[in-house]
Amino acid sequence: MSDPAFIYTIYIRAPIDKVWAAITDNKTHRSWWWGTHHDSDFKPGSKLTYLRNGEADVEGEILEADPPNRLVHTFRVGGPGPQHDEGYTNVEYTLELTDGVTKLTVTHTGFVANSKLRVGISNGWPAILSSLKSVLETGDPLASTQPDEKK
Amino acid sequence: MDQVFKALADDSRRALLDSLMAQNGQTLLELCAGLDMSRQAVSKHLAILEDANLIATHKRGREKLHYLNPVPIAEIADRWIRKFERGKADALIDLKKQLESD
């Protein structure tokens, strides 16, 4: 595997199972992820779709799932558009329990040269992860990742 | 959050983060090459940045690659910038950049 383009880590004061459950939640609209619904059973070989207002934001396939420690899936922006044309990248989550705190690491690999997707995700992940931490620790997501207002 | 501010309150450490912003995933050797600092000093600063979770690392064989981890900075920004102020703040930063580059 190529070297990661990004590695994001965050320490969350919550049990590892709770963090895993949030990442593999397929029932609710994620307040910490712009209200997207992640449609998958999170089993290897299954499809994964991030749905926002009924449309596919991202499509992929689950490559590995080892609850509650590791989840790997492919990631392609829903089409049509230049980011969709860049094809599939890989997202890997690893969860470790250290001193009662869950360390969550997200690595994103496989970008094409001069990737537009790469620019977009470098803004997205930090906001998503800090909002996940906020939800799990306080019950409230951060304002910046709440669903878009209804027009 | 104290740890993040302390880690950022040093010119050399900010220079290391700038270097990773320009090129993510550098080794200690590569980071030393771009900066006028001893290897020991760079190593010490990297440890402080890693403790503050501003740097994440990835092992490649015997080498260690360093990645800028902006998540703690996003937490700081979210604490004081509300959703609808973000656009205005970004616009002001863009204006500053534009005026200062002329």
Side-chain angles (χ1 to χ4, degrees):
Chain A
M1 195 148 89
S2 60
D3 293 330
F6 294 102
I7 303 180
Y8 299 114
T9 69
I10 192 160
Y11 292 85
I12 303 174
R13 278 187 302 279
I16 192 166
D17 291 333
K18 218 176 144 188
V19 179
W20 177 264
I23 292 167
T24 56
D25 171 21
N26 58 10
K27 295 193 174 62
T28 66
H29 291 261
R30 301 181 179 197
S31 57
W32 49 280
W33 198 318
W34 297 292
T36 51
H37 171 232
H38 291 215
D39 185 20
S40 180
D41 62 9
F42 295 97
K43 295 201 168 83
S46 295
K47 297 274 173 237
L48 165 67
T49 311
Y50 303 174
L51 291 160
R52 184 166 4 185
N53 302 323
E55 302 206 356
D57 250 7
V58 169
E59 303 154 338
E61 183 187 327
I62 308 296
L63 299 179
E64 287 178 52
D66 177 21
N69 298 111
R70 197 169 135 82
L71 177 72
V72 185
H73 67 80
T74 59
F75 177 111
R76 182 182 199 175
V77 172
Q83 293 196 11
H84 177 75
D85 296 341
E86 291 182 13
Y88 286 98
T89 55
N90 275 306
V91 171
E92 176 186 334
Y93 295 84
T94 55
L95 291 77
E96 303 159 68
L97 196 62
T98 48
D99 300 327
V101 175
T102 303
K103 180 185 183 187
L104 171 63
T105 304
V106 174
T107 54
H108 204 142
T109 56
F111 296 94
V112 298
N114 301 314
S115 169
K116 288 195 167 65
L117 171 63
R118 186 183 176 128
V119 176
I121 72 118
S122 68
N123 289 317
W125 280 120
I128 288 165
L129 294 179
S130 53
S131 193
L132 170 63
K133 176 186 167 84
S134 183
V135 162
L136 291 175
E137 292 182 355
T138 71
D140 293 317
L142 297 175
S144 61
T145 62
Q146 286 186 16
D148 297 331
E149 301 296 304
K150 290 238 162 52
K151 297 220 170 82
Chain B
M1 203 168 267
D2 279 0
Q3 224 181 349
V4 175
F5 280 109
K6 277 179 194 154
L8 289 173
D10 181 281
D11 209 22
S12 304
R13 289 197 285 274
R14 290 195 299 272
L16 284 167
L17 295 180
D18 286 340
S19 175
L20 291 177
M21 182 84 192
Q23 201 200 329
N24 223 349
Q26 295 186 60
T27 62
L28 175 61
L29 218 61
E30 288 166 334
L31 283 165
C32 289
L35 297 159
D36 190 19
M37 267 188 270
S38 72
R39 195 188 163 111
Q40 287 85 348
V42 172
S43 209
K44 202 184 90 192
H45 286 311
L46 286 175
I48 293 169
L49 289 167
E50 202 176 336
D51 283 348
N53 198 30
L54 288 164
I55 281 183
T57 60
H58 174 76
K59 287 235 168 69
R60 182 178 66 189
R62 289 170 58 190
E63 285 181 317
K64 195 167 160 186
L65 306 182
H66 300 81
Y67 288 82
L68 174 65
N69 181 42
V71 177
I73 299 171
E75 286 174 59
I76 291 171
D78 271 305
R79 180 163 164 173
W80 287 295
I81 304 178
R82 278 195 289 269
K83 187 177 183 185
F84 298 106
E85 291 167 348
R86 185 171 295 269
K88 292 176 204 158
D90 286 347
L92 285 173
I93 292 166
D94 285 346
L95 177 63
K96 174 187 157 78
K97 273 191 202 152
Q98 196 189 328
L99 292 174
E100 288 182 352
S101 69
D102 284 343

Coordinates of all heavy atoms in Angstrom, one line a residue, chain A residues 2-11 34 103 105 107 118 122 125-127 129-131 133 142-149, chain B residues 24-25 50-60 65-75 78-79 81-84 86:
Chain A
S2 N 0.5 2.3 -0.7 CA 1.2 3.5 -0.8 C 1.2 4.2 0.6 O 0.3 3.9 1.4 CB 0.7 4.4 -1.9 OG -0.7 4.7 -1.6
D3 N 2.1 5.1 0.8 CA 2.1 5.9 2.0 C 0.8 6.7 2.1 O 0.3 7.2 1.0 CB 3.3 6.9 2.0 CG 4.6 6.1 2.1 OD1 4.6 5.0 2.7 OD2 5.6 6.6 1.6
P4 N 0.3 6.9 3.3 CA -1.0 7.7 3.4 C -0.8 9.2 2.9 O 0.3 9.7 3.0 CB -1.3 7.7 4.9 CG -0.4 6.7 5.5 CD 0.8 6.5 4.6
A5 N -1.8 9.7 2.3 CA -1.8 11.1 2.0 C -2.1 12.0 3.2 O -1.5 13.1 3.4 CB -2.8 11.4 0.9
F6 N -2.9 11.4 4.1 CA -3.3 12.1 5.3 C -3.4 11.1 6.4 O -3.8 10.0 6.2 CB -4.7 12.8 5.2 CG -4.7 13.9 4.2 CD1 -5.3 13.7 3.0 CD2 -4.2 15.1 4.5 CE1 -5.4 14.7 2.0 CE2 -4.3 16.1 3.6 CZ -4.9 15.9 2.4
I7 N -3.1 11.5 7.6 CA -3.4 10.8 8.8 C -4.0 11.7 9.8 O -3.4 12.7 10.1 CB -2.1 10.1 9.5 CG1 -1.4 9.3 8.5 CG2 -2.6 9.3 10.7 CD1 -0.1 8.6 9.2
Y8 N -5.2 11.4 10.2 CA -5.9 12.2 11.2 C -6.1 11.4 12.5 O -6.5 10.3 12.4 CB -7.2 12.7 10.7 CG -7.1 13.5 9.5 CD1 -7.6 13.1 8.3 CD2 -6.5 14.8 9.5 CE1 -7.5 13.9 7.1 CE2 -6.4 15.6 8.4 CZ -6.9 15.1 7.2 OH -6.8 15.9 6.1
T9 N -5.7 12.0 13.6 CA -6.0 11.3 14.9 C -6.7 12.1 15.9 O -6.6 13.4 15.9 CB -4.7 10.8 15.6 OG1 -4.0 11.9 16.0 CG2 -3.8 10.0 14.6
I10 N -7.5 11.5 16.7 CA -8.2 12.2 17.7 C -8.4 11.3 18.9 O -8.6 10.1 18.8 CB -9.6 12.8 17.2 CG1 -10.2 13.8 18.1 CG2 -10.5 11.6 16.9 CD1 -11.2 14.7 17.5
Y11 N -8.3 11.9 20.1 CA -8.5 11.1 21.3 C -9.9 11.4 21.9 O -10.3 12.6 22.0 CB -7.5 11.5 22.4 CG -6.1 11.0 22.0 CD1 -5.3 11.8 21.2 CD2 -5.6 9.8 22.4 CE1 -4.0 11.4 20.8 CE2 -4.3 9.4 22.1 CZ -3.5 10.2 21.2 OH -2.3 9.8 20.9
W34 N -22.7 16.3 8.7 CA -23.6 17.0 7.8 C -24.9 16.3 7.6 O -25.5 16.3 6.5 CB -22.9 17.4 6.5 CG -21.8 18.3 6.7 CD1 -21.9 19.6 7.2 CD2 -20.4 18.0 6.6 NE1 -20.6 20.1 7.3 CE2 -19.7 19.2 7.0 CE3 -19.7 16.9 6.2 CZ2 -18.3 19.2 7.0 CZ3 -18.3 17.0 6.2 CH2 -17.6 18.1 6.6
K103 N -8.3 6.2 21.0 CA -7.6 6.9 20.0 C -8.1 6.4 18.6 O -8.0 5.3 18.3 CB -6.1 6.6 20.1 CG -5.3 7.3 19.0 CD -3.8 6.9 19.1 CE -3.0 7.8 18.1 NZ -1.6 7.3 18.0
T105 N -7.8 6.8 14.6 CA -6.9 7.3 13.5 C -7.6 7.0 12.2 O -8.1 5.9 11.9 CB -5.6 6.6 13.6 OG1 -5.0 6.7 14.9 CG2 -4.6 7.1 12.5
T107 N -6.8 7.2 8.1 CA -5.9 7.4 7.1 C -6.6 7.3 5.7 O -7.5 6.5 5.5 CB -4.7 6.4 7.1 OG1 -5.2 5.1 7.0 CG2 -3.8 6.6 8.3
R118 N -8.6 15.5 -2.8 CA -7.6 15.6 -1.8 C -7.8 16.9 -1.0 O -7.7 17.0 0.2 CB -6.2 15.5 -2.4 CG -5.1 15.5 -1.4 CD -3.8 15.4 -2.2 NE -2.7 15.5 -1.3 CZ -1.7 14.7 -1.2 NH1 -1.6 13.7 -2.1 NH2 -0.8 14.8 -0.3
S122 N -9.3 17.3 2.9 CA -8.4 17.9 3.9 C -9.2 18.9 4.8 O -8.8 19.2 5.9 CB -7.2 18.5 3.3 OG -7.5 19.6 2.6
W125 N -12.3 16.0 6.9 CA -12.0 15.1 8.1 C -11.8 15.8 9.4 O -12.4 15.3 10.4 CB -10.8 14.3 7.7 CG -11.1 13.1 6.8 CD1 -10.5 12.8 5.6 CD2 -11.9 12.0 7.1 NE1 -11.0 11.6 5.1 CE2 -11.9 11.1 6.0 CE3 -12.8 11.6 8.2 CZ2 -12.6 9.9 5.9 CZ3 -13.5 10.4 8.1 CH2 -13.4 9.6 7.0
P126 N -11.0 16.9 9.5 CA -10.8 17.5 10.8 C -12.1 17.9 11.4 O -12.4 17.7 12.6 CB -9.9 18.7 10.5 CG -9.1 18.3 9.3 CD -10.1 17.5 8.5
A127 N -13.0 18.5 10.6 CA -14.3 18.9 11.1 C -15.2 17.7 11.6 O -15.8 17.8 12.7 CB -15.1 19.7 10.1
L129 N -14.2 14.7 12.5 CA -13.7 14.0 13.7 C -13.8 14.8 14.9 O -14.2 14.3 16.0 CB -12.2 13.6 13.4 CG -12.0 12.6 12.3 CD1 -10.5 12.3 12.1 CD2 -12.7 11.3 12.6
S130 N -13.6 16.1 14.9 CA -13.8 16.9 16.1 C -15.3 16.9 16.5 O -15.6 17.0 17.7 CB -13.2 18.3 16.0 OG -13.6 19.0 14.9
S131 N -16.2 16.9 15.5 CA -17.6 16.9 15.8 C -18.0 15.5 16.4 O -18.8 15.5 17.3 CB -18.4 17.2 14.6 OG -19.7 17.5 14.9
K133 N -16.1 13.6 18.2 CA -15.7 13.7 19.6 C -16.7 14.5 20.5 O -17.0 14.1 21.6 CB -14.3 14.4 19.6 CG -13.7 14.6 21.0 CD -12.4 15.4 20.9 CE -12.0 16.0 22.2 NZ -11.2 15.0 23.0
L142 N -20.7 19.6 16.7 CA -20.3 21.0 16.5 C -21.1 21.6 15.4 O -21.6 21.0 14.5 CB -18.8 21.0 16.1 CG -17.8 20.5 17.1 CD1 -16.4 20.4 16.6 CD2 -17.9 21.3 18.4
A143 N -21.2 23.0 15.5 CA -22.1 23.7 14.6 C -21.7 23.5 13.1 O -22.5 23.4 12.2 CB -22.1 25.2 14.9
S144 N -20.3 23.4 12.9 CA -19.9 23.4 11.5 C -20.2 22.1 10.8 O -20.2 22.1 9.5 CB -18.4 23.6 11.5 OG -17.7 22.5 12.2
T145 N -20.6 21.0 11.5 CA -21.0 19.8 10.7 C -22.4 19.5 10.8 O -22.8 18.4 10.5 CB -20.2 18.6 11.3 OG1 -20.6 18.4 12.7 CG2 -18.7 18.8 11.2
Q146 N -23.2 20.4 11.2 CA -24.7 20.1 11.3 C -25.3 20.2 9.9 O -24.7 20.8 9.0 CB -25.4 21.1 12.2 CG -25.0 20.7 13.7 CD -25.7 21.5 14.7 OE1 -26.7 22.1 14.5 NE2 -25.1 21.4 15.9
P147 N -26.4 19.5 9.7 CA -27.0 19.4 8.4 C -27.2 20.8 7.8 O -27.5 21.7 8.6 CB -28.3 18.7 8.6 CG -28.1 17.9 9.9 CD -27.2 18.7 10.7
D148 N -27.1 20.9 6.5 CA -27.4 22.2 5.8 C -28.9 22.6 6.1 O -29.7 21.7 6.2 CB -27.2 22.1 4.3 CG -25.8 21.7 4.0 OD1 -24.9 22.1 4.7 OD2 -25.6 21.0 3.0
E149 N -29.1 23.9 6.2 CA -30.4 24.4 6.4 C -31.3 24.0 5.3 O -30.9 24.0 4.1 CB -30.4 25.9 6.6 CG -29.6 26.4 7.7 CD -30.0 25.9 9.1 OE1 -31.2 26.2 9.4 OE2 -29.2 25.3 9.8
Chain B
N24 N 3.3 16.8 3.1 CA 3.0 15.9 4.2 C 3.8 14.6 4.2 O 4.2 14.2 3.1 CB 1.5 15.6 4.1 CG 0.8 15.6 5.4 OD1 1.4 15.7 6.5 ND2 -0.6 15.6 5.4
G25 N 3.9 13.9 5.3 CA 4.6 12.6 5.3 C 6.1 12.6 5.2 O 6.6 11.8 4.5
E50 N 3.9 16.0 18.6 CA 3.2 14.7 18.7 C 2.4 14.6 19.9 O 1.3 14.1 19.9 CB 4.2 13.6 18.5 CG 3.6 12.3 18.0 CD 4.6 11.2 17.7 OE1 5.8 11.5 17.4 OE2 4.1 10.0 17.7
D51 N 3.0 15.0 21.1 CA 2.3 14.9 22.4 C 1.0 15.8 22.3 O 0.0 15.4 23.0 CB 3.2 15.4 23.5 CG 4.2 14.3 23.9 OD1 4.0 13.2 23.5 OD2 5.1 14.6 24.6
A52 N 1.1 16.9 21.6 CA -0.1 17.8 21.5 C -1.1 17.3 20.4 O -2.1 17.9 20.2 CB 0.3 19.2 21.2
N53 N -0.7 16.1 19.8 CA -1.6 15.5 18.8 C -1.7 16.4 17.5 O -2.6 16.3 16.8 CB -3.0 15.2 19.3 CG -3.7 14.2 18.4 OD1 -3.0 13.3 17.7 ND2 -5.0 14.2 18.3
L54 N -0.6 17.3 17.3 CA -0.6 18.1 16.1 C 0.1 17.4 15.0 O 0.1 17.8 13.8 CB 0.0 19.4 16.4 CG -0.8 20.4 17.2 CD1 0.0 21.5 17.8 CD2 -2.0 20.9 16.5
I55 N 0.8 16.3 15.3 CA 1.5 15.5 14.3 C 1.1 14.0 14.6 O 1.0 13.5 15.7 CB 3.0 15.6 14.4 CG1 3.4 16.9 13.8 CG2 3.8 14.5 13.8 CD1 4.9 17.2 13.8
A56 N 0.8 13.3 13.5 CA 0.6 11.9 13.5 C 1.7 11.2 12.8 O 2.3 11.8 11.9 CB -0.8 11.5 12.9
T57 N 2.0 10.0 13.2 CA 3.2 9.3 12.5 C 2.8 8.0 11.9 O 1.8 7.4 12.3 CB 4.3 9.1 13.5 OG1 3.9 8.3 14.5 CG2 4.9 10.4 14.0
H58 N 3.5 7.6 10.9 CA 3.3 6.4 10.2 C 4.7 5.7 10.0 O 5.6 6.3 9.5 CB 2.6 6.7 8.9 CG 2.5 5.5 8.0 ND1 1.5 4.6 8.2 CD2 3.1 5.1 6.9 CE1 1.5 3.6 7.2 NE2 2.5 3.9 6.4
K59 N 4.8 4.4 10.4 CA 6.0 3.7 10.2 C 6.2 3.1 8.8 O 5.2 2.4 8.3 CB 6.1 2.6 11.2 CG 6.4 3.1 12.6 CD 7.6 2.4 13.2 CE 8.0 3.1 14.5 NZ 7.1 2.9 15.6
R60 N 7.3 3.4 8.1 CA 7.6 2.8 6.8 C 8.9 2.1 7.0 O 9.9 2.8 6.9 CB 7.6 3.8 5.7 CG 7.8 3.2 4.4 CD 7.8 4.3 3.3 NE 8.9 5.2 3.4 CZ 9.1 6.3 2.7 NH1 8.1 6.7 1.8 NH2 10.1 7.1 2.8
L65 N 7.3 8.4 9.2 CA 6.8 9.6 8.4 C 5.9 10.4 9.3 O 5.2 9.9 10.1 CB 6.0 9.1 7.2 CG 6.7 8.1 6.3 CD1 5.8 7.7 5.1 CD2 8.0 8.6 5.8
H66 N 6.1 11.8 9.1 CA 5.3 12.7 10.0 C 4.2 13.4 9.2 O 4.5 13.9 8.1 CB 6.3 13.7 10.6 CG 7.4 13.1 11.4 ND1 8.5 12.6 10.9 CD2 7.4 13.0 12.8 CE1 9.2 12.1 11.9 NE2 8.6 12.3 13.0
Y67 N 3.0 13.4 9.8 CA 1.9 14.0 9.1 C 1.3 15.1 10.0 O 1.2 14.9 11.2 CB 0.8 13.0 8.8 CG 1.2 12.0 7.7 CD1 2.0 10.9 8.0 CD2 0.7 12.2 6.4 CE1 2.3 10.0 7.0 CE2 1.1 11.4 5.4 CZ 1.9 10.3 5.7 OH 2.3 9.4 4.7
L68 N 1.0 16.2 9.3 CA 0.3 17.3 10.0 C -1.1 16.8 10.4 O -1.9 16.3 9.6 CB 0.2 18.5 9.1 CG -0.7 19.7 9.6 CD1 0.0 20.3 10.8 CD2 -0.8 20.7 8.5
N69 N -1.5 16.9 11.7 CA -2.8 16.5 12.1 C -3.6 17.8 12.6 O -3.4 18.2 13.7 CB -2.7 15.5 13.3 CG -4.1 15.1 13.7 OD1 -5.0 14.8 12.9 ND2 -4.3 15.0 15.0
P70 N -4.4 18.3 11.7 CA -5.1 19.6 12.1 C -6.3 19.4 12.9 O -7.0 20.4 13.2 CB -5.4 20.2 10.7 CG -5.6 19.0 9.8 CD -4.8 17.8 10.4
V71 N -6.6 18.2 13.4 CA -7.9 18.0 14.1 C -7.9 18.9 15.4 O -9.0 19.5 15.6 CB -8.1 16.5 14.4 CG1 -9.3 16.3 15.3 CG2 -8.2 15.7 13.1
P72 N -6.9 19.0 16.2 CA -7.0 19.8 17.4 C -7.2 21.3 17.1 O -7.8 22.0 17.8 CB -5.6 19.6 18.1 CG -5.1 18.4 17.6 CD -5.6 18.2 16.2
I73 N -6.7 21.7 15.9 CA -6.9 23.1 15.5 C -8.3 23.3 15.0 O -8.9 24.4 15.3 CB -5.8 23.5 14.4 CG1 -4.4 23.3 14.9 CG2 -6.1 24.9 13.9 CD1 -3.3 23.5 13.9
A74 N -8.9 22.3 14.4 CA -10.3 22.4 14.1 C -11.2 22.5 15.3 O -12.2 23.3 15.3 CB -10.7 21.2 13.3
E75 N -10.8 21.8 16.4 CA -11.5 21.9 17.6 C -11.5 23.3 18.2 O -12.5 23.9 18.7 CB -11.0 21.0 18.7 CG -11.3 19.5 18.4 CD -10.6 18.6 19.4 OE1 -10.8 18.7 20.6 OE2 -9.8 17.7 18.9
D78 N -13.7 25.6 16.1 CA -15.1 25.4 16.3 C -15.6 25.9 17.6 O -16.7 26.2 17.8 CB -15.4 23.9 16.2 CG -15.7 23.4 14.8 OD1 -16.6 24.0 14.2 OD2 -15.0 22.5 14.3
R79 N -14.6 26.1 18.5 CA -15.1 26.6 19.8 C -15.5 28.0 19.8 O -16.3 28.5 20.4 CB -13.9 26.4 20.8 CG -14.2 26.9 22.2 CD -13.3 26.3 23.2 NE -13.3 27.1 24.4 CZ -12.6 26.7 25.5 NH1 -11.9 25.6 25.5 NH2 -12.7 27.5 26.6
I81 N -15.7 29.9 16.5 CA -16.3 30.4 15.3 C -17.6 29.6 15.0 O -17.6 28.4 14.9 CB -15.3 30.1 14.1 CG1 -14.0 30.8 14.3 CG2 -16.0 30.7 12.8 CD1 -13.0 30.6 13.2
R82 N -18.7 30.3 15.0 CA -20.0 29.6 14.7 C -20.1 29.4 13.2 O -19.5 30.0 12.4 CB -21.1 30.4 15.3 CG -21.3 30.2 16.8 CD -22.6 30.8 17.2 NE -22.6 32.2 17.2 CZ -22.3 33.0 18.3 NH1 -21.9 32.4 19.4 NH2 -22.3 34.3 18.2
K83 N -21.1 28.5 12.9 CA -21.2 28.0 11.5 C -21.3 29.2 10.5 O -20.7 29.2 9.5 CB -22.5 27.1 11.4 CG -22.6 26.5 10.1 CD -23.8 25.6 10.0 CE -23.8 24.9 8.6 NZ -25.0 24.1 8.5
F84 N -22.2 30.2 10.9 CA -22.5 31.2 9.9 C -21.4 32.3 9.9 O -21.4 33.2 9.0 CB -23.9 31.7 10.0 CG -24.9 30.6 9.8 CD1 -25.6 30.0 10.8 CD2 -25.0 30.1 8.5 CE1 -26.4 29.0 10.6 CE2 -25.9 29.1 8.3 CZ -26.6 28.5 9.3
R86 N -18.2 31.4 9.9 CA -17.1 30.9 9.2 C -16.9 31.5 7.8 O -15.8 31.8 7.4 CB -17.2 29.3 9.1 CG -16.0 28.6 8.6 CD -16.1 27.2 8.7 NE -16.1 26.7 10.1 CZ -15.0 26.4 10.8 NH1 -13.9 26.4 10.2 NH2 -15.1 26.0 12.0

